[in-house]
Amino acid sequence: MGRPLSTAIAFLLIFLSPMEGGGASSSPFPQTDQALRESVGARTLMQEPYHSHEVHCSRERSRAAWEIIEEYLTPFVEKEQYQISSKCRLHPDNDMFREQEQHKIHADVNHWKCGFCKKSFHAEKYLDQHFDNRHSNLLNDSHSRCLADLCGALHCDNIMASKIPKTKCNPAAAAKNRHLCESLADNCFPINGGVSSSRLHDLFLHQFCDSHTCTGGRKPFSRGGRKKINVYYIAICILIVMFLPLFYLFVYLNQRQMKGIQDLKRISKTSHKKKPT
């Protein structure tokens, strides 16, 4: 019995020896597991380039800030023939969305087109989403390139369609926005930068900064801005120019007709007088 027992033990050790090796796998399908891991890793690498780049800057508020700059500041800067430094945060180069906004084609009321790939959309918001998904590589979101950060100083809520409900004035918030506003005036239009720069500095304070207060009731944009051309006014002027000659023609023909009637009456009276009695 001793020999069969030793043979059985030897056979058992031979059967268990692959499980004791440190480099051997405990799975009955080692090649299948490895192929699965490699497949999952390949899919992960393929998906990574399609992840959208997250931008912590409001496109809508940046657009509102740019509209304010264009309407209530740029006309005065152009009048002074002043060149804003690229270090100024109000400079067009410091708006991360500027290139994309310049490549918007508004073909019709409900027809927007991407200037990069010519794809069409029914509304501007869908074009914005397209820029975020397909052309985010064109954004330079480096430091101080988010115009939305200046909305507190530039009163963006005053012109945005979705206005924030009016609340009680917060002195701390007003002081913070005023400080930001004054720092923009100092950096963009330094007092010692010349006559034009000094005048624009005072205008910026008057146009934007003085209204950051909880007393006095001062309103922003008191100096006005770029004069907008009213489409309806232009249409009315065109109609007047078109119909005015017709009106004069009608008056002329009417007077001529009346004069003809009067002449006929005069001739008729004269003929009656010449008849023998």
Side-chain angles (χ1 to χ4, degrees):
M1 290 181 61
R3 186 172 181 178
L5 181 61
S6 61
T7 303
I9 293 173
F11 179 78
L12 181 63
L13 291 175
I14 293 172
F15 178 78
L16 295 177
S17 59
M19 300 180 61
E20 295 175 352
S25 173
S26 60
S27 172
F29 305 103
Q31 294 181 353
T32 303
D33 290 344
Q34 183 178 2
L36 179 62
R37 286 194 298 269
E38 289 177 355
S39 177
V40 172
R43 287 200 302 269
T44 303
L45 291 175
M46 291 177 63
Q47 292 174 358
E48 285 178 356
Y50 296 98
H51 291 170
S52 59
H53 181 64
E54 188 175 0
V55 177
H56 301 282
C57 182
S58 170
R59 182 187 293 270
E60 183 181 6
R61 292 181 68 80
S62 294
R63 185 185 299 126
W66 180 255
E67 290 177 0
I68 292 172
I69 294 171
E70 280 289 279
E71 183 172 352
Y72 298 106
L73 179 62
T74 301
F76 302 100
V77 174
E78 292 176 347
K79 184 178 180 180
E80 293 288 345
Q81 297 182 350
Y82 183 81
Q83 296 293 330
I84 298 180
S85 171
S86 59
K87 295 180 180 179
C88 170
R89 295 185 66 181
L90 304 175
H91 193 277
D93 291 345
N94 293 324
D95 176 15
M96 70 169 66
F97 300 109
R98 185 66 4 226
E99 184 177 6
Q100 291 186 351
E101 292 291 323
Q102 290 174 342
H103 282 79
K104 285 183 176 179
I105 302 174
H106 193 185
D108 203 349
V109 178
N110 295 321
H111 185 194
W112 293 80
K113 187 179 291 186
C114 173
F116 297 111
C117 61
K118 308 305 179 183
K119 191 173 182 180
S120 298
F121 302 89
H122 294 296
E124 186 178 14
K125 63 179 181 179
Y126 300 123
L127 179 55
D128 290 339
Q129 294 174 2
H130 170 73
F131 282 147
D132 293 337
N133 295 331
R134 298 298 180 186
H135 303 297
S136 60
N137 59 309
L138 300 174
L139 292 179
N140 185 354
D141 57 345
S142 58
H143 182 64
S144 302
R145 289 179 59 88
C146 180
L147 278 186
D149 294 341
L150 308 181
C151 272
L154 299 177
H155 308 276
C156 293
D157 294 330
N158 286 48
I159 70 161
M160 292 182 68
S162 56
K163 293 183 178 179
I164 299 177
K166 190 174 182 180
T167 57
K168 188 176 180 180
C169 181
N170 186 341
K176 180 181 178 180
N177 290 332
R178 185 183 182 91
H179 176 72
L180 175 60
C181 187
E182 291 175 347
S183 65
L184 287 173
D186 294 337
N187 293 331
C188 299
F189 312 105
I191 298 178
N192 57 355
V195 178
S196 296
S197 181
S198 179
R199 280 202 291 256
L200 290 172
H201 182 276
D202 294 340
L203 178 136
F204 194 89
L205 294 178
H206 185 74
Q207 190 83 315
F208 301 101
C209 304
D210 290 347
S211 56
H212 287 298
T213 177
C214 292
T215 59
R218 295 189 181 94
K219 294 183 179 180
F221 323 133
S222 56
R223 288 284 297 274
R226 194 184 302 277
K227 295 182 179 179
K228 295 182 178 179
I229 300 176
N230 195 319
V231 178
Y232 296 103
Y233 176 77
I234 295 176
I236 291 173
C237 291
I238 293 174
L239 290 175
I240 291 175
V241 172
M242 290 175 60
F243 287 104
L244 194 60
L246 296 176
F247 172 76
Y248 282 117
L249 179 62
F250 173 78
V251 172
Y252 171 75
L253 294 176
N254 187 49
Q255 290 179 349
R256 187 176 179 179
Q257 184 180 6
M258 294 298 296
K259 185 178 180 181
I261 294 173
Q262 291 176 359
D263 291 342
L264 289 175
K265 288 181 179 179
R266 192 179 298 112
I267 293 172
S268 177
K269 289 180 180 180
T270 305
S271 63
H272 284 300
K273 288 179 181 181
K274 289 182 178 181
K275 287 182 178 181
T277 56

